[in-house]
């Protein structure tokens, strides 16, 4: 993907993150990503019903990579079954870790395909993915 | 100044993260190598020549630390692995026995985690109460606020000499006086202070003090716990075993050695302590007052240059130390740090282990520049230039 296009997708999801708000309905479970990072601090709100991710949103303070990857990931996960969501997340993590992965499911997340070139950003790009993965595996 | 003393400065980096750890001068590295190459041996153990050399150097290091902070005697100096270790040693080795349920400990919101979390743990364990001395408008500790925070249950004031985010230096001598007038013990975290200010534990009348070697041009894994003899003598050791016992018998009788050896169970970080010793000599050769003056002037220059940039928020303009906390308006601190790293400028982004300070500052994360004597105006000019071009930040980091 062209560098400029990548940048504009990342920036758009950072500056105009459509899923960046608090969801405080009873159906939502809140998970926090602070435990794995000193600086990024995102709350993720997930509504998982009958094995389907009905909705997710997030709120908090974090870097451009964290927020943008969170927003893109969340938009892709909404409406997916738990299994499909886990498949997508696993492939995303494989991409970040430079392993073989299924490109088809990642869509806009492909803008992060060269994150591994900036090792300090790997944690930022995977914060939310790991948090949601853990939640899905335990619920 | 003294840039040639640091091999690492030849590598084209601008190192502004001295609050996290300082660079190490070549003489410190050489002293560690010398231990490996010329006289590797355990301390306090052997009867051979190299062992005696190590013994002497290790105790010489203690003597140097003693003089450096003007302790009364060298038995008041315990080598530890760092400030965190020192703080835990006294909080769990002394205050756990000395304090009772309901006793109050005063800290502030701008303390480092190592002067907060152990106290919280002790609060849970034995029911002491951790209270806060209010910070003033500039996030600093005023004498009035210290007086206001003291109650008849206050037993300890435990604060940093210089804080690691705001960078303010507290009037320790005055606070100690108030503390002692009220039968309160004075604990000081000097991690951010010892490499930049003259610290005199007798003049400041400090009861316990902790600091790290690696923030004062020494090796990581070294630190110091200072305690007035009578207090230190009551600290229960963490590590029982070799080096700290005087004798023991098969039926369980154990006699422990005197302080400070009693508190240094196990083989110490010998090469680290020898490196720290060299670091102290190095600082003294330059002169702590000269360092202090230079760093303050450099900070003033940095502030005056940052002030010219209307897209920068500086949070601690008025403090008189080596630390500057700022943000580029509208840019998350970590993104600024990544951007500066593109130009080999090393700064720290985050809450700097002072996670409860955001209640006070209303911002959670800042970019922190902590200066050292080897930084100079040319480096600051470069930084300012890079910041001036930060409208391109997204292009640069994405």
């Amino acid at each position: 993907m062209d560098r400029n296009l990548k940048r504009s997708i990342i920036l758009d999801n950072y500056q105009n993150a459509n899923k960046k708000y608090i969801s405080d309905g009873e159906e939502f479970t809140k998970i926090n990503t602070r435990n794995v990072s000193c600086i990024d601090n995102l709350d993720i709100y997930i509504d998982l019903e009958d094995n389907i991710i009905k909705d997710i949103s997030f709120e908090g303070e974090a870097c451009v990579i964290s927020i943008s990857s969170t927003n893109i990931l969340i938009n892709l996960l909404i409406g997916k079954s738990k299994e499909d969501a886990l498949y997508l997340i696993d492939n995303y993590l494989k991409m970040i870790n430079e392993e073989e992965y299924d490109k088809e499911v990642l869509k806009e997340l492909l803008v992060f395909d060269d994150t591994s070139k900036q090792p300090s950003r790997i944690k930022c790009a995977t914060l939310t993915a790991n948090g949601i993965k853990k939640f899905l595996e335990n619920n | 100044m003294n840039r040639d003393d640091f091999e690492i400065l030849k590598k084209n980096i601008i190192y502004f993260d001295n609050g996290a750890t300082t660079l190490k001068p070549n003489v410190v590295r050489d002293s560690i190598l010398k231990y490996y190459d010329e006289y590797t041996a355990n301390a306090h153990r052997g009867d051979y020549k190299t062992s005696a050399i190590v013994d002497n150097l290790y105790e010489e290091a203690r003597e140097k630390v003693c003089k450096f902070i003007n302790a009364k005697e060298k038995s008041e100096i315990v080598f530890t692995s760092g400030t965190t270790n020192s703080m835990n040693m006294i909080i769990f080795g002394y205050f756990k026995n000395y304090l009772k349920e309901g006793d109050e400990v005063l800290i502030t919101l701008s303390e480092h985690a190592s002067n907060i979390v152990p106290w919280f743990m002790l609060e849970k364990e034995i029911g002491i109460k951790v209270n806060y001395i209010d910070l003033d408008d500039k996030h600093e500790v005023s004498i009035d606020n210290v007086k206001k925070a003291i109650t008849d249950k206050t037993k300890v004031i435990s604060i940093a000499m210089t804080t690691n985010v705001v960078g303010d230096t507290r009037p320790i001598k005055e606070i100690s006086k108030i503390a002692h007038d009220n039968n309160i013990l004075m604990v000081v975290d000097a991690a951010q202070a010892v490499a930049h200010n003259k610290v005199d534990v007798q003049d400041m009348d400090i009861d316990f003090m902790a600091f790290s070697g690696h923030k004062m041009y020494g090796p990581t894994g070294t630190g110091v716990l200072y305690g007035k003899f009578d207090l230190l003598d009551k600290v229960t050791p963490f590590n029982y075993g070799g080096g700290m016992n005087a004798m023991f018998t098969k039926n369980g009788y154990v006699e422990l050695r005197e302080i400070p050896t009693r508190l240094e169970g196990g083989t110490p970080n010998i090469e680290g302590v020898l490196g720290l010793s060299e670091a102290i000599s190095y600082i003294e050769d330059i002169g702590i007052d000269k360092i202090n003056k230079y760093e303050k002037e450099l900070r003033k220059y940095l502030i005056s240059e940052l002030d010219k940039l209307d897209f920068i928020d500086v949070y601690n303009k008025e403090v008189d130390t080596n630390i500057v906390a700022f943000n580029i308006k509208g840019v998350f601190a970590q993104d600024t740090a990544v951007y500066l790293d593109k130009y080999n400028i090393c700064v720290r982004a985050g809450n700097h282990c002072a996670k409860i300070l955001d209640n006070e500052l209303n911002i959670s994360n800042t970019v922190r520049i902590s200066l050292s004597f080897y930084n100079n105006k040319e480096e600051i000019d470069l930084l300012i230039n890079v910041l001036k071009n930060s409208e391109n930040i997204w292009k640069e980091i994405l």
Side-chain angles (χ1 to χ4, degrees):
Chain A
M1 200 185 299
D2 171 62
R3 189 79 245 159
N4 286 327
L5 180 60
K6 272 187 185 176
R7 189 181 300 128
S8 69
I9 292 173
I10 294 173
L11 265 186
D12 187 43
N13 278 278
Y14 174 63
Q15 289 164 340
N16 312 303
N18 66 320
K19 299 304 287 180
K20 190 167 180 286
Y21 52 84
I22 294 170
S23 297
D24 50 8
E26 269 179 24
E27 63 277 26
F28 285 92
T29 304
K30 177 171 138 184
I31 54 176
N32 186 280
T33 57
R34 181 174 263 192
N35 57 340
V36 290
S37 158
C38 184
I39 178 161
D40 298 302
N41 180 25
L42 297 179
D43 287 325
I44 317 277
Y45 304 87
I46 306 185
D47 174 13
L48 178 72
E49 282 177 55
D50 304 326
N51 212 44
I52 301 288
I53 297 175
K54 285 264 170 87
D55 197 12
I56 319 181
S57 74
F58 74 103
E59 188 51 273
E61 243 195 305
C63 72
V64 60
I65 300 290
S66 258
I67 290 197
S68 177
S69 62
T70 299
N71 199 60
I72 297 175
L73 177 68
I74 282 178
N75 277 293
L76 288 175
L77 291 179
I78 293 171
K80 286 211 161 35
S81 69
K82 195 164 93 173
E83 291 71 25
D84 287 350
L86 280 170
Y87 181 76
L88 189 151
I89 290 173
D90 281 341
N91 276 286
Y92 174 64
L93 294 173
K94 279 181 187 168
M95 177 184 81
I96 299 288
N97 293 319
E98 290 185 291
E99 294 165 32
E100 286 283 305
Y101 64 97
D102 180 354
K103 272 189 178 177
E104 292 302 308
V105 293
L106 294 187
K107 313 259 191 269
E108 279 193 327
L109 282 173
L110 291 172
V111 297
F112 300 107
D113 65 355
D114 55 1
T115 303
S116 54
K117 286 185 191 146
Q118 285 181 283
S120 64
R121 294 297 221 179
I122 290 176
K123 203 178 259 180
C124 314
T126 55
L127 201 65
T128 298
N130 279 319
I132 295 178
K133 182 181 170 172
K134 199 171 160 197
F135 169 82
L136 292 175
E137 284 170 348
N138 295 330
N139 287 278
Chain B
M1 54 191 194
N2 293 64
R3 291 176 66 83
D4 290 343
D5 299 342
F6 293 79
E7 185 65 29
I8 194 170
L9 285 175
K10 292 179 187 158
K11 295 197 187 305
N12 189 31
I13 57 161
I14 296 182
Y15 189 77
F16 283 149
D17 196 16
N18 296 287
T21 195
T22 55
L23 304 179
K24 323 301 175 196
N26 303 346
V27 288
V28 167
R29 174 202 63 200
D30 293 346
S31 73
I32 295 169
L33 281 180
K34 212 167 171 187
Y35 170 72
Y36 282 111
D37 293 346
E38 293 180 30
Y39 37 70
T40 299
N42 211 323
H44 315 130
R45 298 290 198 282
D47 294 313
Y48 44 93
K49 287 188 269 317
T50 48
S51 168
I53 293 172
V54 170
D55 246 14
N56 287 337
L57 289 174
Y58 191 82
E59 290 309 312
E60 243 175 51
R62 205 186 300 280
E63 189 74 49
K64 267 193 212 171
V65 174
C66 176
K67 283 189 182 142
F68 185 63
I69 60 170
N70 193 30
K72 210 179 243 173
E73 47 188 299
K74 68 177 206 161
S75 52
E76 295 177 322
I77 305 299
V78 182
F79 287 117
T80 68
S81 69
T83 306
T84 302
N85 184 213
S86 302
M87 290 303 294
N88 277 273
M89 275 173 76
I90 51 168
I91 292 172
F92 293 101
Y94 180 79
F95 288 107
K96 191 175 165 178
N97 307 320
Y98 166 77
L99 297 177
K100 293 180 184 56
E101 191 178 341
D103 284 346
E104 293 173 3
V105 175
L106 286 177
I107 62 171
T108 75
L109 283 176
S110 52
E111 299 308 311
H112 184 277
S114 62
N115 186 29
I116 301 174
V117 180
W119 290 117
F120 283 171
M121 291 297 131
L122 195 63
E123 187 172 44
K124 279 196 190 119
E125 263 188 56
I126 66 168
I128 57 157
K129 183 83 189 78
V130 178
N131 285 337
Y132 297 97
I133 300 167
D134 284 339
L135 301 178
D136 65 16
D137 300 346
K138 290 186 239 157
H139 320 293
E140 294 180 22
V141 170
S142 70
I143 296 295
D144 273 354
N145 283 346
V146 173
K147 286 181 184 163
K148 266 186 226 159
I150 291 173
T151 74
D152 55 1
K153 288 182 179 164
T154 308
K155 292 288 182 331
V156 188
I157 294 176
S158 184
I159 56 174
M161 188 170 291
T162 301
T163 60
N164 72 324
V165 184
V166 180
D168 56 315
T169 293
R170 277 83 178 259
I172 296 295
K173 188 176 175 177
E174 287 80 358
I175 298 172
S176 275
K177 169 87 172 60
I178 298 165
H180 293 139
D181 287 347
N182 290 279
N183 293 317
I184 294 167
L185 288 176
M186 187 70 195
V187 177
V188 174
D189 159 13
Q192 294 293 342
V194 280
H196 310 282
N197 299 300
K198 175 71 194 148
V199 174
D200 182 328
V201 291
Q202 290 191 71
D203 181 56
M204 294 173 172
D205 202 10
I206 293 167
D207 295 306
F208 285 113
M209 186 170 86
F211 59 96
S212 299
H214 73 98
K215 292 188 202 287
M216 53 185 293
Y217 312 100
T220 54
T222 61
V224 170
L225 166 62
Y226 158 80
K228 283 181 184 165
F229 187 91
D230 290 343
L231 294 170
L232 198 62
D233 201 30
K234 293 191 183 77
V235 173
T236 308
F238 251 175
N239 294 324
Y240 289 91
M244 54 82 70
N245 72 79
M247 69 164 293
F248 53 95
T249 64
K250 70 174 184 182
N251 52 13
Y253 174 76
V254 179
E255 218 173 274
L256 302 180
R257 295 179 65 173
E258 300 295 311
I259 56 164
T261 320
R262 188 199 306 151
L263 299 172
E264 292 178 3
T267 295
N269 178 0
I270 299 171
E271 77 258 33
V273 167
L274 302 192
L276 173 60
S277 181
E278 198 58 46
I280 290 174
S281 298
Y282 179 77
I283 292 171
E284 284 177 333
D285 283 349
I286 301 176
I288 193 83
D289 292 332
K290 192 173 163 193
I291 289 172
N292 184 278
K293 188 165 174 267
Y294 177 86
E295 289 173 351
K296 281 181 176 173
E297 276 169 18
L298 195 62
R299 185 186 189 279
K300 273 186 197 138
Y301 180 69
L302 171 59
I303 293 286
S304 72
E305 291 301 300
L306 285 173
D307 254 350
K308 294 176 191 162
L309 309 179
D310 58 2
F311 53 91
I312 300 281
D313 286 323
V314 179
Y315 301 103
N316 60 344
K317 267 183 203 173
E318 286 168 42
V319 303
D320 201 16
T321 50
N322 63 319
I323 294 172
V324 175
F326 73 96
N327 272 322
I328 301 177
K329 283 190 173 113
V331 179
F332 191 62
Q334 192 188 4
D335 292 325
T336 304
V338 170
Y339 169 64
L340 294 177
D341 180 49
K342 294 260 164 193
Y343 296 89
N344 295 326
I345 300 173
C346 312
V347 297
R348 181 79 181 271
N351 47 39
H352 318 298
C353 297
K355 292 194 181 212
I356 54 179
L357 186 65
D358 56 359
N359 305 348
E360 185 77 15
L361 287 179
N362 293 323
I363 41 147
S364 327
N365 295 292
T366 59
V367 180
R368 181 184 71 185
I369 287 177
S370 39
L371 299 167
S372 166
F373 60 80
Y374 41 68
N375 294 126
N376 58 31
K377 286 186 177 174
E378 290 73 38
E379 290 177 322
I380 290 175
D381 291 342
L382 263 163
L383 166 84
I384 297 293
N385 256 331
V386 172
L387 287 174
K388 276 182 184 161
N389 292 324
S390 63
E391 65 216 42
N392 296 325
I393 185 166
W394 305 122
K395 210 168 174 182
E396 298 259 355
I397 68 169
L398 293 175

